[in-house]
Amino acid sequence: MREEEKLAHDVYVALYAAWRLPVFQNIANSEATHTAAVKRLLDQYGIADPTAGKGVGEFTNPDLQKLYDQLVAQGAKSLAEALKVGITIEEIDILDLQTRIARTTNADIKLVYGNLLRGSENHLRAFTSTLQRQTGETYAPQYL
């Protein structure tokens, strides 16, 4: 989850640099808070941080590295594609968080993941409404 939250943050930083749309910066800031929340869990449970020493756009997990590269390239094509990238990330995060919440009995982990889930739901709404306002497109869910 730490790397997934970092992926969201880093993609949104790249998309903000490309498009200068505030929704990307605002949600990137929120994702930084999410990564910090997961880091506290890692520290609490003595788990190594997979993002240690990694810069923006750098990942330990090769699948996440590939996904980052693909999403940034897709988001560079157009503003509509950039917003769809944000929607995709949030849909996947929601599914992953729902799965992880169901798999743990630890109250502290459930609390953090529940907060992240609510954040991702808010981000999804922000991206879909921005897509509608900016492009007139209505987004059809791809993963949810």
Side-chain angles (χ1 to χ4, degrees):
M1 281 314 303
R2 174 91 160 141
E3 276 202 303
E4 279 190 35
E5 295 296 330
K6 180 185 183 315
L7 178 133
H9 170 270
D10 293 0
V11 169
Y12 300 153
V13 166
L15 295 179
Y16 178 73
W19 300 105
R20 294 292 185 207
L21 196 64
V23 69
F24 293 117
Q25 185 174 44
N26 294 341
I27 296 177
N29 292 341
S30 180
E31 296 295 350
T33 302
H34 293 186
T35 62
V38 176
K39 174 71 164 81
R40 286 189 293 277
L41 287 175
L42 293 176
D43 292 345
Q44 178 180 338
Y45 288 95
I47 299 170
D49 179 5
T51 70
K54 300 292 183 189
V56 172
E58 296 177 348
F59 300 89
T60 300
N61 181 316
D63 293 332
L64 291 178
Q65 184 66 61
K66 182 178 176 181
L67 182 59
Y68 170 84
D69 296 339
Q70 289 172 341
L71 293 172
V72 170
Q74 178 184 342
K77 292 178 183 177
S78 70
L79 179 57
E81 287 301 311
L83 291 164
K84 289 175 188 176
V85 162
I87 293 167
T88 297
I89 289 170
E90 299 305 331
E91 281 190 333
I92 292 169
D93 276 355
I94 288 167
L95 290 173
D96 287 348
L97 286 162
Q98 289 171 337
T99 298
R100 286 182 172 87
I101 289 168
R103 289 184 181 165
T104 187
T105 58
N106 296 46
D108 52 347
I109 295 173
K110 281 185 179 275
L111 176 67
V112 170
Y113 284 3
N115 290 337
L116 298 180
L117 178 61
R118 283 184 291 285
S120 287
E121 291 166 345
N122 290 337
H123 299 164
L124 179 59
R125 281 190 291 278
F127 282 126
T128 56
S129 65
T130 303
L131 178 68
Q132 175 69 39
R133 278 193 319 275
Q134 293 286 328
T135 70
E137 288 187 51
T138 302
Y139 184 77
Q142 301 297 305
Y143 298 94
L144 294 178

